[in-house]
Amino acid sequence: ENHTRVTQDMFLTLLEKGHIYKKSMPLPYCPKENRFLPDRYVEGTCPYCGHEGARGDQCDHCGKTLNASELLAMHCHFCGTTPEIRESEHFFLRLSAFTDRLKEWVADKQYWRKPVLNWTLGLLNEGLQDRAVTRDIEWGVPIPVEGYENKRVYVWFEAVIGYLSAAKEWAHNSGDPERWRDWWQDPECKSYYFLGKDNIPFHTIIWPTMLMGYGDLNLPYDVPASQYITMRGSKASTSRNWAVWLPDYLSRYDPDPLRYYLSASMPETSDTDFTWADFVRRNNDELVATYGNLVHRVLTFVYRNFDGCVPHYDNIDARGKELENLSYALLNDIDKLLYNCHFKQAIMTAMSLAHETNRYLDEKSPWKVIKEDKQAAANSLYVALEIISHLKTMLYPFLPFSSQKVHEFLGFKGNVADDGWKLHSLPQGQRLIKPQPLFSKLDEALIEEETSHLGQVRC
């Protein structure tokens, strides 16, 4: 009911301001089904790229938004019949009138991901076409205009309004019905829209147009759309079971290795292909060998040789201070990367600190030095432990489960997130918990086994 009210308010406001108008349009009508067909149930060939699997609202291959009547060789999804084209009166959003305003709005969006910005500018430079915001369907939000009881607000128009209606419902349920204004009308508030590349036009063209037309509502600050993750070169498809099913994955593996793999290979600017071979390689060669091994060998050695406590140091040499200073600098770098939605670079930056700490330990060799100078070994091990403590904070957004384990291994109580996004000194003498391996090395035999299950239902 709340969403219906907000949607109808948006519709009527845009109508009253002249941003929505009535016009007849040709629509596909299936004589066998005896009804107008929703766009997603009209299939055919894209008139722009020639892809044969296009649907009446959008071509998933080239990303063009379409009107169903534009499709070549169109047919009904249900029965395969070629639809008739019949005229029907509908309401249109005057997108064409907002081209210049949208160009001005995106002019300073150089911080957007390049594919998002380029796609948006390409659409604007082509010139926007007005789009119908209603359809001849029986389900959906009713049109709040007399005489249109048998039509509904079209889903692509009302779906994005869910961002606003959800905020209003949240505010109402929180006991302060006006609280939504903090997010939608405070100019200091920045909104980020996370989505796949096929939804870019709806969030950089259509939704901003609606917000501009309505007035006094914040426009998107960033639209960090990702490209696709493909599976062995083909687009993931749940209907074809061409996917990795999370419940099935979690029945055999821990969550953080997959979180690491997806973060480190995130398709921020181009499609990324998921393969089990690459998953195993990244787990074994990067997560286990670099970070996991660092944590386990340091904590195990300290636990065994310093009575299960963080060792006391009497001097941190220049190399140790250099490493500590580097960790603080990298936290600031990661902070900026996260703020600007460069997640792949952020996790790689954190992992670079693990690499540097491994090099530091190779230089200091505390496992050898301890035989002759236990205090010298304690000094370098304290630095390594402190960096490990810093890494649990840096990696928490990506690897929350293993970061919590490290937090506890180091003797801290509570949740690692409670310490906030800042680095803390490690208390000397703090009692440790006996460490366990953070990650498990994966057998390469699982590559063939898991790959063979693609296309099958596993859960």
Side-chain angles (χ1 to χ4, degrees):
E1 292 179 3
N2 167 75
H3 179 66
T4 296
R5 284 194 302 271
V6 177
T7 297
Q8 291 179 339
D9 172 62
M10 175 75 73
F11 182 95
L12 287 174
T13 300
L14 293 174
L15 181 64
E16 291 166 3
K17 290 185 174 184
H19 304 313
I20 286 179
Y21 63 95
K22 288 186 286 187
K23 186 181 77 168
S24 289
M25 66 181 296
L27 287 173
Y29 182 92
C30 180
K32 189 172 182 179
E33 295 288 327
N34 195 31
R35 62 165 173 160
F36 284 101
L37 293 173
D39 288 348
R40 306 262 318 163
Y41 296 134
V42 184
E43 298 173 346
T45 301
C46 175
Y48 296 97
C49 72
H51 178 61
E52 295 182 356
R55 291 176 291 196
D57 58 347
Q58 186 176 23
C59 175
D60 288 338
H61 186 261
C62 69
K64 287 279 190 180
T65 53
L66 303 171
N67 290 314
S69 59
E70 297 178 84
L71 287 176
L72 306 176
M74 75 170 75
H75 57 271
C76 173
H77 168 80
F78 299 105
C79 64
T81 300
T82 300
E84 300 172 358
I85 300 298
R86 297 186 180 183
E87 291 289 319
S88 181
E89 187 176 61
H90 283 281
F91 291 87
F92 281 70
L93 178 63
R94 207 182 297 274
L95 284 169
S96 57
F98 286 82
T99 300
D100 291 340
R101 287 183 64 182
L102 288 167
K103 284 183 177 180
E104 182 180 348
W105 171 62
V106 301
D108 66 349
K109 301 299 185 292
Q110 297 303 314
Y111 55 88
W112 281 10
R113 291 178 179 174
K114 291 301 181 185
V116 178
L117 183 60
N118 292 341
W119 197 340
T120 301
L121 290 173
L123 292 172
L124 291 173
N125 290 332
E126 286 178 12
L128 300 179
Q129 302 296 316
D130 298 347
R131 278 178 67 97
V133 300
T134 57
R135 277 294 187 271
D136 295 282
I137 49 180
E138 299 175 352
W139 49 266
V141 176
I143 299 171
V145 178
E146 187 176 351
Y148 293 87
E149 291 77 14
N150 294 326
K151 302 177 189 288
R152 294 291 184 269
V153 176
Y154 196 26
V155 64
W156 70 257
F157 178 83
E158 59 95 355
V160 288
I161 298 173
Y163 298 119
L164 179 59
S165 67
K168 289 188 174 184
E169 185 163 342
W170 162 79
H172 180 271
N173 292 341
S174 71
D176 183 358
E178 298 302 308
R179 199 174 173 195
W180 65 272
R181 298 183 187 277
D182 293 343
W183 308 99
W184 286 94
Q185 294 181 327
D186 183 346
E188 295 300 314
C189 182
K190 294 181 173 64
S191 55
Y192 293 72
Y193 291 75
F194 296 92
L195 44 113
K197 65 179 178 181
D198 52 333
N199 274 316
I200 291 173
F202 297 96
H203 293 79
T204 65
I205 300 291
I206 293 170
W207 181 227
T209 293
M210 294 162 63
L211 293 170
M212 287 177 180
Y214 188 88
D216 197 28
L217 293 173
N218 287 337
L219 298 175
Y221 173 75
D222 199 358
V223 184
S226 291
Q227 307 300 293
Y228 291 144
I229 289 183
T230 56
M231 309 290 294
R232 298 187 69 192
S234 298
K235 184 180 176 183
S237 170
T238 54
S239 61
R240 294 189 296 115
N241 297 312
W242 199 254
V244 174
W245 301 95
L246 286 178
D248 177 58
Y249 169 90
L250 291 171
S251 69
R252 293 188 302 285
Y253 309 109
D254 291 330
D256 274 359
L258 183 59
R259 293 176 64 99
Y260 175 78
Y261 177 85
L262 293 176
S263 299
S265 57
M266 186 174 287
E268 292 179 355
T269 57
S270 61
D271 292 352
T272 298
D273 196 50
F274 175 93
T275 67
W276 282 100
D278 198 35
F279 171 74
V280 170
R281 180 191 65 78
R282 281 192 176 274
N283 178 82
N284 292 352
D285 298 349
E286 298 175 16
L287 199 56
V288 173
T290 299
Y291 179 47
N293 184 53
L294 167 66
V295 173
H296 192 246
R297 67 169 173 161
V298 171
L299 281 168
T300 300
F301 189 78
V302 169
Y303 190 85
R304 186 169 58 240
N305 290 279
F306 292 88
D307 300 321
C309 297
V310 175
H312 291 263
Y313 66 86
D314 64 359
N315 178 51
I316 303 298
D317 64 11
R319 182 72 174 92
K321 290 178 180 177
E322 177 188 345
L323 188 59
E324 290 177 334
N325 291 335
L326 175 64
S327 70
Y328 283 94
L330 290 183
L331 182 75
N332 290 329
D333 291 343
I334 293 169
D335 186 75
K336 293 174 184 176
L337 291 168
L338 290 175
Y339 184 85
N340 289 295
C341 301
H342 300 308
F343 306 113
K344 181 177 180 179
Q345 190 177 348
I347 195 170
M348 290 296 96
T349 298
M351 288 297 287
S352 73
L353 180 61
H355 279 289
E356 188 61 30
T357 307
N358 279 320
R359 282 193 285 269
Y360 170 79
L361 288 169
D362 290 341
E363 294 170 15
K364 296 299 180 182
S365 298
W367 5 90
K368 296 179 182 178
V369 172
I370 195 171
K371 299 174 183 177
E372 301 173 356
D373 190 341
K374 188 172 184 178
Q375 186 57 58
N379 293 340
S380 59
L381 287 167
Y382 177 84
V383 171
L385 283 173
E386 187 166 53
I387 300 303
I388 289 171
S389 183
H390 294 175
L391 282 168
K392 73 176 171 61
T393 298
M394 297 177 184
L395 289 168
Y396 176 78
F398 308 97
L399 310 175
F401 301 98
S402 53
S403 285
Q404 181 61 33
K405 287 182 181 179
V406 174
H407 186 70
E408 294 169 4
F409 290 160
L410 291 172
F412 292 107
K413 306 297 182 183
N415 194 302
V416 59
D418 295 339
D419 287 342
W421 186 246
K422 55 186 177 182
L423 304 182
H424 300 271
S425 296
L426 185 63
Q428 300 178 67
Q430 179 163 283
R431 181 155 296 280
L432 307 172
I433 291 178
K434 187 175 182 180
Q436 301 294 326
L438 272 187
F439 311 104
S440 300
K441 189 172 183 179
L442 298 175
D443 192 327
E444 292 192 0
L446 72 82
I447 297 172
E448 183 177 351
E449 178 187 351
E450 293 289 358
T451 301
S452 69
H453 292 303
L454 277 174
Q456 301 177 12
V457 178
R458 295 291 299 277
C459 60

